[in-house]
């Protein structure tokens, strides 16, 4: 079974309708190659994992790692690679947006000595298909920043989710990869100490036929997360840093609204404070949903439930805040220090509890 020389790792979340078509496409593209597909599914509600198991009954080279209680594109890819024993591993999206017909060429480049071959949209005949100006702009911006971060191992498309690498390279970097977020390729390139032999194969990003994207809104946030992780992430969890940044923005917004309502519109202080608090919490929830917890972002009705929960958590978190601040203040700690200490305690509480219950993996 594990005589496969190429493992194709396919992270999936709600890709039920894409399972059979992508397997058919891989079979057509990889004739003559000893390959296996490893789907890594995060217990998709639409039954993606069940569908793969169904297909794998008569196809021993199709496997699925069914993760329960977990979410995340990068960690899915990493765990899929850990399951593989093949000499070469490719990562490809499960929605057919990547061009699987490029895989044989990528494999050939690997055999000719490359450490990693990147499927690129930004070189040669590559393209981004039907992307709008906003997404293209964001992607290009992230590409520039990404290459700034990389220095040694640059590529025209460090944000690509389509690439192939050798087992040696994976073994070298596996322990250093951040499992949060989506930017697995950038992470691999940044985590190797060596100057790698990076090669590229151009492809055009296809339009999605079934299901919907999980990333669009959070591309930027995801990227910011990786930057934080690669800089101060060693000391403080990147998500907490992002959560605190969002909290600071919320605080500024709060003060602006409070000031405008109270001073300009002469709204009574208590009412102005209530409105400002609510707006700040909504803003915090909204930005945390996109940036801090972009990989497990809530959508539709779940977002409403999540918001109510967040509101409750923040409400409870305000109690130790006020108590601690009051205690310190009565112990003659300067008002600003007492207030800030209360805020820090609340921030930790809000982060710990909401990452566990609102945006759980
Ligand atoms: N297991 C798992 N867990 N899979 C996931 C998760 C998750 O939390 N989130 C997304 N996926 C799977 C999807 O099911 C799909 O097969 C693949 O990862 C890519 O997700 P999409 O939601 O389709 O991403 P996209 O098309 O918007 O983004 C593409 O372009 C980005 C760069 O602009 C992808 O190729 C990204 O990898 C790439 O970084
Ligand atoms: Mn996609």
């Amino acid at each position: 079974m594990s005589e496969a020389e190429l493992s194709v790792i396919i992270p999936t979340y709600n890709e039920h309708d894409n399972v059979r078509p992508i397997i058919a496409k891989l079979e057509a593209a990889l004739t003559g190659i000893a390959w296996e597909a490893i789907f890594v599914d995060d217990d998709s509600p639409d039954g993606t994992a069940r569908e793969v198991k169904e297909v794998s009954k008569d196809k021993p080279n199709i496997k699925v790692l069914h993760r329960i209680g977990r979410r995340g594109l990068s960690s899915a890819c990493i765990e899929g690679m850990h399951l593989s024993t093949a000499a070469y591993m490719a990562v490809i999206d499960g929605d057919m947006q990547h061009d699987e017909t490029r895989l044989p060429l990528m494999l050939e480049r690997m055999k000719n000595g490359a450490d990693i071959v990147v499927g690129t949209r930004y070189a040669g005949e590559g393209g981004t298909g039907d992307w709008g100006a906003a997404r293209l702009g964001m992607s290009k911006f992230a590409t520039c920043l990404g290459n700034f971060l990389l220095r040694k191992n640059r590529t025209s498309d460090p944000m690509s989710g389509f690439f192939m690498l050798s087992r040696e390279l994976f073994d070298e970097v596996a322990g250093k990869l951040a499992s949060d977020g989506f930017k697995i390729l950038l992470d691999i390139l940044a985590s190797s100490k060596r100057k790698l032999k990076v090669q590229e194969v151009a492809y055009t990003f296809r339009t999605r036929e079934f299901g919907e994207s999980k990333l669009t809104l959070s591309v930027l946030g995801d990227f910011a997360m990786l930057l934080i992780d690669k800089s101060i992430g060693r000391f403080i969890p990147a998500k907490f840093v992002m959560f605190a940044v969002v909290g600071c923005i919320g605080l500024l917004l709060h003060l602006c609204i409070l000031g405008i309502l109270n001073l300009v519109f002469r709204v009574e202080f208590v009412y102005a404070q209530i409105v400002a608090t609510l707006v700040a919490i909504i803003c915090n929830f909204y930005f945390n949903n996109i940036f801090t917890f972009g990989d497990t972002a809530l959508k539709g009705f779940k977002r409403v439930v999540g918001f109510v929960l967040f509101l409750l958590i923040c409400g409870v978190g305000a109690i130790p805040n006020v108590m601690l601040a009051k205690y310190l203040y009565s112990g003659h700690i300067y008002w600003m220090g007492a207030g800030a200490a209360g805020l820090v305690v609340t921030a930790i509480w809000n982060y710990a509890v909401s990452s566990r219950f609102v945006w759980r993996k």
Side-chain angles (χ1 to χ4, degrees):
M1 212 0 268
S2 352
E3 291 132 25
E5 73 172 327
L6 172 68
S7 292
V8 181
I9 316 294
I10 312 172
T12 56
Y13 191 74
N14 283 344
E15 305 289 359
H16 179 283
D17 295 345
N18 287 312
V19 169
R20 286 174 198 265
I22 197 172
I23 292 174
K25 278 182 182 284
L26 288 170
E27 284 171 338
L30 296 171
T31 44
I33 294 170
W35 66 283
E36 65 177 0
I38 299 179
F39 285 80
V40 186
D41 184 68
D42 289 348
D43 202 22
S44 302
D46 75 349
T48 306
R50 212 182 327 114
E51 180 77 349
V52 182
K53 273 175 206 156
E54 203 52 48
V55 181
S56 70
K57 279 182 187 160
D58 354 282
K59 296 182 194 289
N61 66 328
I62 308 292
K63 301 170 179 175
V64 58
L65 174 60
H66 185 161
R67 306 198 301 173
I68 310 277
R70 309 278 306 279
R71 269 305 298 279
L73 181 46
S74 279
S75 68
C77 296
I78 295 167
E79 284 171 36
M81 290 193 245
H82 275 300
L83 198 63
S84 154
T85 53
Y88 306 105
M89 294 174 283
V91 172
I92 190 168
D93 285 355
D95 55 7
M96 299 185 282
Q97 292 196 272
H98 294 158
D99 187 352
E100 72 294 329
T101 64
R102 313 305 281 160
L103 287 168
L105 181 60
M106 292 163 96
L107 184 62
E108 199 185 301
R109 300 266 168 93
M110 289 300 306
K111 288 183 175 170
N112 287 335
D115 292 302
I116 188 160
V117 180
V118 178
T120 176
R121 298 160 291 188
Y122 297 127
E125 320 80 86
T128 48
D130 64 351
W131 278 10
R135 179 153 190 193
L136 192 61
M138 277 202 283
S139 177
K140 291 241 161 156
F141 177 64
T143 300
C144 288
L145 279 177
N147 271 323
F148 177 73
L149 183 88
L150 286 174
R151 288 196 192 97
K152 217 172 28 202
N153 293 314
R154 289 196 172 147
T155 152
S156 61
D157 197 354
M159 300 297 136
S160 177
F162 182 37
F163 58 92
M164 192 182 287
L165 81 169
S166 67
R167 167 146 311 280
E168 290 80 52
L169 176 56
F170 178 67
D171 288 344
E172 178 196 328
V173 297
K176 298 182 207 153
L177 302 177
S179 54
D180 286 332
F182 313 117
K183 296 293 167 263
I184 169 103
L185 172 63
L186 180 62
D187 202 358
I188 291 173
L189 292 171
S191 299
S192 175
K193 285 207 182 74
R194 294 186 282 145
K195 167 111 184 72
L196 298 171
K197 287 193 204 84
V198 183
Q199 297 221 349
E200 300 189 334
V201 166
Y203 80 99
T204 299
F205 201 75
R206 295 186 192 133
T207 306
R208 205 185 233 280
E209 279 179 56
F210 311 107
E212 54 182 36
S213 166
K214 284 97 210 163
L215 310 191
T216 37
L217 260 183
S218 44
V219 204
L220 259 191
D222 174 40
F223 188 69
M225 288 293 293
L226 189 77
L227 287 184
I228 296 174
D229 194 61
K230 287 285 155 201
S231 45
I232 45 178
R234 260 166 294 164
F235 312 109
I236 313 174
K239 285 199 173 190
F240 181 68
V241 176
M242 187 60 114
F243 193 83
V245 170
V246 169
C248 291
I249 296 172
L251 185 67
L252 279 181
L253 188 71
H254 181 127
L255 293 177
C256 288
I257 293 175
L258 182 64
I260 292 172
L261 287 182
N262 187 238
L263 300 177
V264 182
F265 291 100
R266 303 271 163 218
V267 177
E268 217 178 297
F269 185 80
V270 192
Y271 296 120
Q273 171 72 353
I274 292 173
V275 173
T277 307
L278 270 178
V279 174
I281 292 181
I282 291 172
C283 154
N284 278 7
F285 179 80
Y286 183 77
F287 287 119
N288 277 321
N289 196 42
I290 297 175
F291 295 131
T292 320
F293 301 103
D295 53 342
T296 52
L298 302 170
K299 280 187 184 162
F301 185 63
K302 281 194 178 158
R303 190 159 60 168
V304 180
V305 177
F307 176 68
V308 174
L309 210 59
F310 186 70
L311 208 59
L312 279 174
I313 292 167
C314 293
V316 174
I319 299 171
N321 172 353
V322 175
M323 275 166 45
L324 178 74
K326 198 173 149 220
Y327 172 76
L328 291 176
Y329 186 67
S330 66
H332 301 295
I333 302 269
Y334 185 55
W335 67 270
M336 226 186 241
L343 213 60
V344 168
V345 170
T346 305
I348 294 172
W349 156 273
N350 286 353
Y351 172 73
V353 180
S354 58
S355 63
R356 176 78 184 79
F357 294 104
V358 180
W359 289 281
R360 60 172 176 261
K361 291 224 167 185

